[in-house]
Amino acid sequence: MENKILEMQLPMDGVWMPKAASVAVPSVDDPFWLIFWACVITFFLLMAPMVYFIARYKRKTPDQKAESQVDHSQVLEIAWSALPLVFFGVVFYMGFTGYLNLTVPPANAVEVRVTGQKWFWSLDYPQGFTLGGAGETFVMPENTPIKLVMSSKDVLHSFYVPNFRIKQDVIPGRYTTLWFQATEKGEYPIFCTEYCGKDHSMMLGKIKVVSQEEYQKWAQATADAQGGEPTADKGKVVYEKYCKACHTTDGTRLVGPSFKGLAGRQEELTGGTKVEVNKEYLVESIVNPMAKVVNGYPPAMPSFKDSLKTNDIDSVILYIESLK
Ligand code: CUA
């Protein structure tokens, strides 16, 4: 299957934890390893005496009586109360400071808007351009705090970058925040970790961390490239990222009508009225899909008003018109 999402590398390049690539990593990994090793050590501290006691105090003869034992060990009792108290105090301290590190972004953080919708992520960059779509690569500068202000257009999603150890629900009608500061150049996958429908497992993206100079250059070039004339070729790229999950180009029926031979056709809408598929109708169906739903299809399409620029919409319409 030629699907760039499926070609994406998974982050599990270690046995336990994916490669560490952000300043948040110690806040998550340190308490994990502390608790993990405490569990391993405690397991043997409990099991070894238990096995010894089973052998040592086994009833030797059928009529052997249990002996009364009313003394106790003050030292032992203080130890098993005080040591766990100290241990849990340390765990609480690590957990709470880690939680603050993960949730409070530095004041100078660069703000990026994140939008989740079925089934892709879009990011509004501070330079004024928007990137998004299935399997999109989002370039980010290294050693720069980035604050993500996130919301969803439809259902619950969750933004998760395992290499950065950050994860947060993305909710319709509400803003949630997350921040990271990448420490290593490289490419790191973004997952959706809240089951959000048919293509939840395909709701992937990538963060590509580059040097600050490279990032500035890339942002300038991307901002420039989003201008220019709409073309069917640009439209095909937009289609691959935004439309492909629900609309085919070969006449096969998915969630929505196929784009093949769509332009110029008469469509029957729910309620029985007919409409000609012209440019106006296509624009309306992209920005306000619920206005005219084709008979026999579910009213399932979210609005692409904010995720697609006028240029993208014009391009994708040229592409649809090219599919005879
Ligand atoms: Cu979005 Cu799962």
Side-chain angles (χ1 to χ4, degrees):
M1 201 201 255
E2 31 75 66
N3 188 333
K4 62 177 172 177
I5 292 169
L6 295 181
E7 288 161 17
M8 284 186 43
Q9 238 191 331
L10 290 175
M12 300 307 288
D13 40 15
V15 176
W16 282 87
M17 292 292 198
K19 183 184 156 203
S22 91
V23 295
V25 171
S27 301
V28 174
D29 290 14
D30 290 356
F32 173 82
W33 288 116
L34 176 75
I35 293 168
F36 173 78
W37 285 111
C39 290
V40 171
I41 292 166
T42 312
F43 176 80
F44 288 106
L45 284 180
L46 283 171
M47 292 307 124
M50 192 185 80
V51 170
Y52 169 74
F53 290 151
I54 285 171
R56 172 72 179 74
Y57 297 106
K58 187 180 185 306
R59 190 166 65 165
K60 305 284 183 328
T61 57
D63 57 348
Q64 185 181 10
K65 293 262 161 45
E67 287 168 41
S68 159
Q69 192 216 22
V70 292
D71 62 330
H72 67 109
S73 166
Q74 196 117 34
V75 175
L76 206 56
E77 285 173 4
I78 290 171
W80 79 46
S81 304
L83 290 178
L85 185 70
V86 171
F87 174 74
F88 288 117
V90 171
V91 171
F92 173 76
Y93 178 79
M94 286 177 97
F96 189 65
T97 52
Y99 176 76
L100 292 181
N101 289 341
L102 290 170
T103 48
V104 184
N108 63 340
V110 177
E111 204 170 294
V112 173
R113 277 281 284 119
V114 174
T115 307
Q117 72 188 85
K118 294 189 279 186
W119 288 281
F120 59 86
W121 301 103
S122 311
L123 269 63
D124 296 343
Y125 278 77
Q127 291 84 351
F129 60 84
T130 302
L131 276 188
E136 180 66 275
T137 299
F138 303 103
V139 176
M140 289 289 168
E142 73 174 340
N143 298 324
T144 309
I146 308 283
K147 179 183 178 186
L148 305 173
V149 179
M150 313 191 292
S151 64
S152 164
K153 276 199 189 158
D154 36 45
V155 297
L156 296 178
H157 303 279
S158 181
F159 192 88
Y160 179 35
V161 186
N163 297 92
F164 294 169
R165 310 290 194 273
I166 56 166
K167 173 153 78 171
Q168 177 64 254
D169 280 9
V170 178
I171 300 165
R174 190 193 296 183
Y175 292 114
T176 51
T177 60
L178 201 57
W179 79 279
F180 66 88
Q181 181 171 331
T183 53
E184 297 282 328
K185 291 190 190 112
E187 294 194 349
Y188 307 107
I190 304 165
F191 291 90
C192 176
T193 49
E194 186 77 57
Y195 182 67
C196 54
K198 176 181 147 280
D199 277 1
H200 156 72
S201 60
M202 294 285 130
M203 191 168 164
L204 302 170
K206 221 189 272 179
I207 290 182
K208 183 179 178 190
V209 177
V210 299
S211 70
Q212 296 181 0
E213 301 76 59
E214 255 178 273
Y215 169 76
Q216 294 301 345
K217 258 188 248 162
W218 169 86
Q220 191 55 53
T222 309
D224 294 345
Q226 288 208 348
E229 288 293 296
T231 65
D233 284 343
K234 279 190 203 168
K236 183 162 195 265
V237 176
V238 175
Y239 164 81
E240 300 274 344
K241 290 199 289 193
Y242 294 94
C243 322
K244 204 180 176 181
C246 302
H247 301 278
T248 66
T249 55
D250 62 0
T252 316
R253 183 193 164 119
L254 288 181
V255 181
S258 174
F259 286 168
K260 188 180 177 177
L262 178 64
R265 193 162 70 197
Q266 294 282 324
E267 289 279 52
E268 191 183 319
L269 305 175
T270 49
T273 48
K274 288 226 163 126
V275 67
E276 191 202 324
V277 181
N278 53 22
K279 187 167 185 248
E280 276 173 324
Y281 168 75
L282 287 170
V283 172
E284 185 183 35
S285 296
I286 293 168
V287 301
N288 184 17
M290 292 307 120
K292 296 190 176 78
V293 178
V294 176
N295 203 11
Y297 288 92
M301 181 165 158
S303 170
F304 286 78
K305 191 161 157 270
D306 304 317
S307 27
L308 291 180
K309 295 257 185 283
T310 313
N311 196 303
D312 294 335
I313 294 175
D314 291 345
S315 296
V316 86
I317 289 171
L318 286 174
Y319 177 61
I320 292 170
E321 286 169 351
S322 77
L323 299 166
K324 297 288 174 220

